[in-house]
């Protein structure tokens, strides 16, 4: 049966783009968020409350046929009661695995997906032992609630230990060997409740300060794409996954090293709105609402650029042929994702030159 009422936990830009993709399909999204001005609340109804508020979560679940997520860090204990009220898609196990970098890496390793050498760190002595074992440079990260480079510290030499501990010590941490990657790539795919799986083309992503700045897609590398698909499929099948799932990888000496996964639509898949027959947002909704998945074929060569901290001048950007502009309706703040643009061209060389022009007009603060 087609489901048409979707409850979404978190009303950020991901939720907003989900809601917008739902309208033509006759799918209505309802959100739960702390803030009445949140990006998705500007386009769809909202319940106001904390994301883990038991009563509001129950109200969201009761009013909708399926619950999904714009924000994946909802405690398993808050989610479990919802399973009695409605469908929870993606499954709780996928959210729980992705919430803790140690359990995420354990899942990857169990599924024979390579990860960076790493160790759990609870105190300074353990950090010293991890460094002795894994070497420097390395990245110290919070196990939980880290995103967009937040809760991370790169250690280049022993002199950095004190500062790293001051910055993020005192919580559950993970120390990872620094990966000398040639590229970062990500693979977005979707799985339906009947086990149908589709994959988007790989995208190549450029980060600054841990935040995605821009990406290009399709990133054509048959061998890497084949391996990435195999890995993503293993995770989807192991978790009986329903919805869109993303894995971000480092490419190190021609091999894929999984960095993390996101059990939701993902920033590195925003290009699919204009760049593919069916966007990641539509396919997430199709998957969780029992509809057939749509074609993931790319329509050309695409670049996606995030707007961070400051919105660019739309007059100048929109003068670039083939550029689509997305404003999330957020208050500017340094480092905050406020919107993005996508450039679609029929040839890679045209895409590259339009991307270079767009980058000149976009300032990251
Ligand atoms: P994450 O929050 O794990 O996605 O990390 C954000 C960004 O920091 C990544 O996209 C990389 O650019 C960088 N990074 C994270 N972990 C490592 C690592 N082990 N080695 C090198 N760079 C890293």
């Amino acid at each position: 049966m087609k489901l048409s009422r979707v409850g979404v936990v978190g009303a950020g830009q991901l939720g907003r783009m989900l809601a917008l993709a739902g309208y033509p399909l006759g799918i209505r999204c309802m959100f739960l968020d702390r803030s009445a001005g949140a990006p998705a609340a500007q386009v769809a109804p909202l319940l106001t409350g904390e994301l883990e508020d038991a009563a509001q979560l129950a109200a969201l679940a009761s009013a909708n046929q399926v619950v999904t997520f714009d924000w994946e860090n909802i405690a398993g204990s808050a989610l479990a009661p919802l399973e009695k009220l409605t469908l929870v898609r993606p499954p709780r196990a996928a959210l729980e695995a992705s919430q803790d970098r140690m359990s995420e890496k354990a899942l990857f390793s169990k599924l024979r997906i390579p990860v960076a050498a790493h160790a759990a760190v609870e105190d300074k002595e353990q950090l010293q032992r991890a460094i002795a074992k894994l070497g420097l440079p390395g990245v110290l990260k919070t196990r939980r609630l880290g995103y967009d480079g937040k809760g991370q510290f790169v250690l280049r030499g022993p002199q950095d230990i004190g500062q790293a501990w001051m910055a993020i010590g005192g919580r559950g941490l993970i120390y990872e060997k620094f990966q000398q990657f040639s590229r970062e790539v990500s693979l977005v795919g979707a799985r339906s409740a009947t086990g149908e799986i589709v994959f988007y083309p790989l995208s190549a992503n450029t980060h600054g300060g841990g935040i995605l700045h821009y990406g290009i897609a399709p990133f054509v590398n048959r061998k890497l794409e084949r391996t990435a698909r195999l890995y993503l499929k293993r995770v989807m099948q192991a978790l009986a996954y329903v919805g869109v799932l993303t894995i971000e990888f480092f490419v190190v000496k021609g091999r894929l090293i999984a960095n993390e996964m996101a059990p939701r639509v993902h920033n590195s898949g925003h290009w699919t709105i204009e760049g593919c027959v069916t966007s990641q947002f539509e396919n997430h909704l199709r998957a969780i609402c029992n509809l057939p998945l749509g074609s993931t074929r790319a329509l050309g060569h695409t670049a996606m650029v995030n707007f961070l901290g400051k919105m660019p001048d739309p007059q100048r950007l929109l003068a670039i042929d083939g550029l689509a502009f997305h404003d999330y309706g957020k208050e500017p703040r340094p480092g905050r994702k406020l919107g993005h643009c996508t450039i679609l061209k029929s040839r890679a060389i045209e895409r590259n030159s339009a991307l270079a022009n767009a980058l000149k007009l976009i300032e990251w603060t």
Side-chain angles (χ1 to χ4, degrees):
M1 184 189 70
K2 177 203 166 189
L3 311 177
S4 55
R5 291 195 317 280
V6 177
V8 188
V9 184
Q13 65 267 17
L14 302 178
R16 176 182 173 116
M17 289 183 270
L18 267 183
L20 294 175
Y23 283 109
L25 293 169
I27 293 172
R28 293 286 177 268
C29 294
M30 176 195 284
F31 291 86
L32 170 61
D33 202 283
R34 224 171 281 124
S35 160
Q42 298 164 23
V43 303
L46 176 83
L47 301 177
T48 314
E50 294 297 322
L51 300 188
E52 292 183 352
D53 180 293
Q56 289 297 61
L57 279 172
L60 186 76
S62 306
N64 291 286
Q65 297 163 306
V66 54
V67 163
T68 195
F69 307 90
D70 159 287
W71 171 249
E72 70 273 30
N73 290 302
I74 310 299
S77 55
L79 293 177
L82 306 187
E83 291 165 349
K84 296 197 183 75
L85 300 172
T86 192
L87 291 168
V88 176
R89 291 176 169 174
R92 175 158 56 100
L95 275 82
E96 287 178 329
S98 74
Q99 285 169 2
D100 178 343
R101 292 184 190 272
M102 285 299 292
S103 56
E104 188 172 58
K105 283 190 167 51
L107 175 69
F108 287 146
S109 300
K110 192 177 102 190
L111 299 173
R112 292 169 287 113
I113 300 170
V115 295
H118 60 279
V121 168
E122 294 293 330
D123 53 42
K124 233 172 167 177
E125 287 68 50
Q126 274 186 359
L127 176 57
Q128 251 132 5
R129 266 194 306 240
I131 291 173
K133 186 164 158 228
L134 304 173
L136 286 159
V139 189
L140 187 65
K141 302 178 179 178
T142 55
R143 282 171 62 165
R144 292 179 173 275
L145 295 171
Y147 68 99
D148 285 347
K150 293 184 178 65
Q152 291 197 19
F153 202 100
V154 178
L155 288 100
R156 310 224 168 256
Q159 71 282 358
D160 294 335
I161 295 177
Q163 218 188 331
W165 198 258
M166 285 249 292
I168 56 172
R171 287 168 277 176
L173 300 173
I174 181 171
Y175 181 74
E176 291 177 16
K177 200 170 159 67
F178 191 88
Q179 303 299 299
Q180 300 291 355
F181 54 80
S182 54
R183 279 192 182 277
E184 293 188 73
V185 298
S186 60
L187 185 68
V188 180
R191 183 177 182 274
S192 72
T194 56
E196 185 193 355
I197 293 178
V198 293
F199 301 105
Y200 286 94
L202 269 186
S203 68
N205 312 317
T206 301
H207 292 80
I211 306 188
L212 178 60
H213 276 184
Y214 63 90
I216 58 162
F219 170 64
V220 183
N221 182 319
R222 292 238 157 72
K223 186 169 153 266
L224 289 182
E225 190 160 75
R226 208 175 323 122
T227 310
R229 287 180 173 198
L230 201 70
Y231 292 164
L232 187 60
K233 187 172 169 185
R234 277 186 206 158
V235 177
M236 285 175 158
Q237 289 180 334
L239 295 168
Y241 197 85
V242 181
V244 161
L245 179 70
T246 305
I247 303 183
E248 294 183 274
F249 299 96
F250 302 124
V251 182
V252 182
K253 298 195 181 106
R255 278 182 77 227
L256 290 176
I257 307 288
N259 177 31
E260 59 181 358
M261 66 180 203
R264 52 169 166 75
V265 288
H266 191 259
N267 194 171
S268 66
H270 290 0
W271 68 277
T272 62
I273 297 177
E274 292 83 11
C276 289
V277 175
T278 316
S279 76
Q280 62 164 350
F281 300 97
E282 178 168 342
N283 261 336
H284 184 71
L285 291 174
R286 288 191 188 210
I288 67 171
C289 292
N290 299 334
L291 291 167
L293 300 180
S295 165
T296 53
R297 186 165 55 79
L299 299 171
H301 295 270
T302 313
M304 189 284 314
V305 188
N306 272 337
F307 305 150
L308 301 172
K310 187 177 169 197
M311 284 300 286
D313 178 0
Q315 297 283 353
R316 299 189 65 195
L317 263 188
L318 283 168
I320 295 175
D321 178 60
L323 184 142
F325 192 90
H326 295 259
D327 181 336
Y328 305 150
K330 288 162 111 175
E331 282 301 313
R333 213 186 295 143
R336 196 173 198 207
K337 287 178 183 166
L338 302 175
H340 75 269
C341 65
T342 303
I343 295 160
L344 174 63
K345 293 284 189 183
S346 50
R347 298 196 310 150
I349 191 168
E350 295 168 352
R351 182 268 320 273
N352 294 347
S353 87
L355 170 62
N357 289 339
L359 288 175
K360 283 187 214 136
L361 300 174
I362 297 167
E363 189 191 341
W364 290 307
T365 64

